Amino acid sequence: MAQATNTIDPAEVAKFEAMAAEWWDPTGKFKPLHLMNPVRLDYITQQIAAQFGRDLKAPQPFKGLRLLDIGCGGGLLSEPMARLGAEVVGADAAPRNIPVAQLHAEQSGLEIDYRNCAAEDIAATDERFDVVLAMEIIEHVADTQGFTDTCAELLKPGGLMVMSTLNRNPKSFMAAIVGAEWVMRWLPKGTHEWSKFITPDELYALIRNAGLDAVDRKGMVFNPLTFGWKLCERDLSVNYAVAAVKR
């Protein structure tokens, strides 16, 4: 059972806990996520709207949907989802991330249920969700299949999982390790381990084994000239996202 699987890698948790105070600093160590966040939100909202027949132009289009943000960090995704009307639970294994997220949500006038726990802890209860987000986290866990199984278990039948990660190839090494960590110094060296990056075929296999059907995938491509991100149908060479539905 998924709840019996410990997918947490303590060394990975420690990396992000050490940066907890900087979650909401757009020029700090999470600058890459702040730059990427609009594109991540575009993809997530498009997939939720398509799966549940919601009009994104309506006020609070996700009202009535229960959403779990796994590895929520400081709440960069949880807060926009709450503003769109979803009932949001944010879970993170790093204890220092939760007070940062709670304080920022309170200052923003948002009600978000933040918890310092693993996804398995929630899966062990009877809580289930319409949407599970697992963005930029699977490359940091100890057991990728166990983690994907847990995400699937947390979904209601017909529920939607959106997951993003990094492809494993020479281009992603140059972009995410050499470029982001060594040259631009956006992230501390060692934040990512290239060997833990996951190819789209590998992720699709994990998803199928967990009892989910992949319904969409897109690349998230960075343009160094405009310093902006865009969604791309064909280019999955570095960052990419996948949407899957529980059978």
Side-chain angles (χ1 to χ4, degrees):
M1 295 294 289
Q3 58 262 39
T5 304
N6 182 12
T7 64
I8 293 175
D9 184 331
E12 294 289 338
V13 172
K15 290 177 187 177
F16 289 92
E17 188 168 20
M19 300 185 283
E22 299 194 42
W23 273 107
W24 288 97
D25 180 359
T27 63
K29 292 176 180 174
F30 292 104
K31 181 177 179 177
L33 275 184
H34 282 272
L35 291 171
M36 185 192 289
N37 218 37
V39 168
R40 297 198 304 169
L41 287 169
D42 281 349
Y43 187 76
I44 291 166
T45 54
Q46 288 169 14
Q47 295 304 314
I48 295 174
Q51 178 64 18
F52 297 99
R54 301 303 177 97
D55 180 2
L56 291 175
K57 295 179 182 178
Q60 294 198 313
F62 297 161
K63 192 172 181 64
L65 295 178
R66 198 149 189 266
L67 181 145
L68 173 62
D69 182 11
I70 301 174
C72 62
L76 298 186
L77 289 174
S78 294
E79 288 199 8
M81 294 297 105
R83 288 192 182 94
L84 291 169
E87 178 188 342
V88 178
V89 174
D92 202 292
R96 289 177 60 193
N97 286 342
I98 298 303
V100 173
Q102 289 172 328
L103 178 60
H104 199 275
E106 183 180 341
Q107 292 171 340
S108 302
L110 296 170
E111 291 188 14
I112 299 172
D113 181 1
Y114 284 117
R115 308 177 191 178
N116 173 216
C117 67
E120 293 94 334
D121 298 326
I122 303 175
T125 72
D126 60 358
E127 289 187 84
R128 295 298 178 263
F129 299 85
D130 300 291
V131 180
V132 169
L133 303 182
M135 309 297 285
E136 289 81 47
I137 184 173
I138 193 170
E139 69 271 18
H140 298 287
V141 304
D143 177 358
T144 55
Q145 187 63 68
F147 178 74
T148 310
D149 291 346
T150 300
C151 291
E153 186 172 357
L154 285 160
L155 283 172
K156 299 174 182 177
L160 176 75
M161 180 187 75
V162 183
M163 184 179 282
S164 63
T165 189
L166 288 145
N167 202 343
R168 188 180 66 258
N169 54 42
K171 183 177 178 180
S172 69
F173 181 84
M174 292 302 298
I177 306 296
V178 176
E181 295 185 16
W182 299 357
V183 178
M184 301 301 292
R185 297 185 180 180
W186 282 340
L187 293 167
K189 288 184 179 180
T191 298
H192 290 105
E193 292 183 38
W194 181 77
S195 62
K196 289 187 173 182
F197 291 1
I198 300 169
T199 70
D201 287 346
E202 290 168 347
L203 186 55
Y204 264 44
L206 294 171
I207 288 169
R208 283 194 302 270
N209 292 340
L212 303 175
D213 293 320
V215 294
D216 188 86
R217 69 180 185 184
K218 285 187 175 64
M220 295 183 287
V221 180
F222 179 68
N223 185 331
L225 298 179
T226 64
F227 241 61
W229 292 79
K230 67 176 181 178
L231 294 173
C232 182
E233 293 277 354
R234 296 186 183 88
D235 189 352
L236 310 178
S237 58
V238 184
N239 296 82
Y240 68 99
V242 173
V245 175
K246 186 169 184 176
R247 296 167 196 158

